[in-house]
Amino acid sequence: MRRLIPTGEATRPVALTEAPQPVPAPGEALIKVEAFAPNRGETFLLEHPEPGLLPGKDIAGLVVQAAADGSGPGIGTRVVGHPARGGWAEYAAVPTHSLAALPDGLDTTRAAALPLAGITALRLLRTAGSVTGRRVLLTGASGGVGHYVTELAVGAGAEVTAVTATPARGERLKGMGARVVHEVDAARGPFDVVLESTGGAALPVALSRVRPGGLLVWFGQASRAPVTLDFFELLKGAQRVTIQHFHYAGAPYGSDLSALVRLVEQGRLHPEIGRTADWTETAATLIDLRERRIRGKAVLLTGGAR
């Protein structure tokens, strides 16, 4: 089969190569990958790839070999999956606890855009608690996670302010019902919950917008700049604010994937896909994703996607 592997080159971070087809463990199904979606965090790993790195965590396709232990979907089932690695290939072995079956109305292109960003959005909002009637500030909002969080939070009755770099990147979020600003300084607090993903100089400003007793959930550092907090500056702001570190990871993922699939099927969640391309264009797409030239998700097709 063919697989994308890291090259370590800045201008061509991955290349296609021939590789053995994966051999599934007893609790894994073999999936013929029809579509996969890279994540911006994966582009950073490719800058200095560790030996043996096989990227790829968001896939959709067809079960061609069911799990030997009898768990999970059978042969011929269309699925979305979230393997730990190795999804940028024609075939991938995926634990059955991290698969969800797809209904006829959900194509594999949209399904591939769901896993990491969608699971992150679901788990972020669970961490935040009920957002109905609450004011939520979301930074770095124009990526895949931001679109899912915004649509789900607005749908739950939250008043969402989304921070995006440009008006064009915030257009879809505005259409979802969010108030869009382009600098954290422009966000009119106080907010009950701040979901902060940029780090650097933005986090202290976002923190200053939290109401007394409110919550800031720190789930990323897209700026790639460290954060400096000054104790005395904090004293000038709201009291008793909680700062909570968040990372989405933790299998199993199957139940969350099933929830995302249901939300899409019910018309309550709409994957924002800024680019769809053949997987031979993965290298260029990764660069554009890293440089924030793609709004929402990018999906690469290996052939046969529908």
Side-chain angles (χ1 to χ4, degrees):
M1 70 166 193
R2 292 181 297 168
R3 167 186 301 288
L4 286 162
I5 59 169
T7 63
E9 301 173 14
T11 58
R12 192 180 65 114
V14 293
L16 278 168
T17 187
E18 292 291 328
Q21 188 169 294
V23 178
E28 296 179 332
L30 185 65
I31 311 301
K32 185 180 189 303
V33 179
E34 296 178 354
F36 63 84
N39 296 284
R40 191 163 180 260
E42 291 172 303
T43 70
F44 301 152
L45 296 177
L46 293 170
E47 292 176 359
H48 305 285
E50 295 182 357
L53 174 66
L54 295 177
K57 298 174 73 69
D58 292 4
I59 70 165
L62 191 70
V63 176
V64 293
Q65 181 180 323
D69 67 0
S71 64
I75 293 174
T77 305
R78 296 171 57 249
V79 294
V80 58
H82 192 53
R85 51 180 260 159
W88 299 356
E90 289 182 307
Y91 294 90
V94 184
T96 56
H97 60 59
S98 294
L99 289 170
L102 298 177
D104 290 339
L106 179 53
D107 56 87
T108 47
T109 300
R110 287 184 295 155
L114 288 174
L116 190 148
I119 293 167
T120 300
L122 286 180
R123 295 183 177 186
L124 265 175
L125 291 171
R126 289 184 193 133
T127 299
S130 173
V131 295
T132 303
R134 303 175 81 191
R135 302 190 72 206
V136 177
L137 174 63
L138 174 64
T139 67
S142 62
V145 174
H147 281 86
Y148 290 140
V149 167
T150 298
E151 187 167 18
L152 291 172
V154 169
E159 180 184 334
V160 177
T161 296
V163 183
T164 68
T166 65
R169 293 182 69 83
E171 182 179 341
R172 177 73 178 120
L173 300 169
K174 191 174 181 179
M176 291 175 177
R179 179 174 185 265
V180 177
V181 298
H182 308 301
E183 298 286 344
V184 183
D185 285 317
R188 299 174 187 166
F191 294 94
D192 300 290
V193 177
V194 171
L195 304 176
E196 213 296 298
S197 67
T198 53
L203 189 144
V205 178
L207 184 60
S208 73
R209 301 299 193 267
V210 185
R211 67 161 174 81
L215 173 67
L216 183 145
V217 183
W218 186 6
F219 72 100
Q221 193 157 297
S223 68
R224 310 185 75 181
V227 172
T228 299
L229 293 177
D230 184 278
F231 178 80
F232 297 102
E233 286 297 319
L234 289 177
L235 286 178
K236 297 176 185 178
Q239 301 296 303
R240 297 174 288 103
V241 171
T242 299
I243 302 174
Q244 184 168 340
H245 171 264
F246 172 91
H247 190 265
Y248 89 99
Y253 300 107
S255 61
D256 282 343
L257 288 172
S258 294
L260 292 165
V261 167
R262 286 194 302 274
L263 287 165
V264 175
E265 188 178 23
Q266 294 165 4
R268 297 166 59 193
L269 190 66
H270 300 82
E272 180 69 15
I273 300 175
R275 178 178 301 176
T276 303
D278 187 84
W279 73 321
T280 56
E281 299 177 37
T282 300
T285 299
L286 290 170
I287 293 170
D288 287 343
L289 191 65
R290 183 189 67 206
E291 300 303 322
R292 292 191 172 279
R293 292 193 283 260
I294 297 173
R295 184 179 69 184
K297 298 290 294 181
V299 177
L300 287 307
L301 309 180
T302 63
R306 64 182 180 89

